[in-house]
Amino acid sequence: QRGDHDSATASYFNLAEVDAVSAAVQALLAAGATPQDIGIVTPYAAQARAITQNLVANDSSANVIEVGTVDGFQGREKNIMLISAVRANKDSELG
């Protein structure tokens, strides 16, 4: 488990899932998707920040990919949407 809670913002993040989302983005780009096609949504602001930092660190063109919270994407559309749940298990814990 590589998740944590950001006590400054009371938001959660899960670094293992950040890595999985980043790998999915790289696979989509390799398959021909453009960064403008991709959106990533998560319920937690700390997760959105972690995903953005990871994507930009691994690919400078990734700063075009929109990453945000559910509220930020409300009413918007992308050709490809990835969802990062952060806490996706029966105990509502990270991992």
Side-chain angles (χ1 to χ4, degrees), residues 12-15 18-19 22 42 44-57 67:
Y12 290 93
F13 61 96
N14 181 330
L15 296 177
V18 168
D19 290 341
S22 182
T42 179
Y44 297 101
Q47 185 76 352
R49 284 190 300 276
I51 291 169
T52 299
Q53 291 168 354
N54 183 284
L55 291 174
V56 171
V67 181

Side-chain angles (χ1 to χ4, degrees), residues 25 29 33-40 51-52 55-56 59-68 73 76 78 80:
V25 166
L29 293 173
T34 67
Q36 295 84 358
D37 290 332
I38 302 170
I40 303 168
I51 291 169
T52 299
L55 291 174
V56 171
D59 182 356
S60 61
S61 70
N63 64 353
V64 176
I65 296 172
E66 292 187 59
V67 181
F73 268 100
R76 303 205 37 241
K78 286 286 187 175
I80 302 167

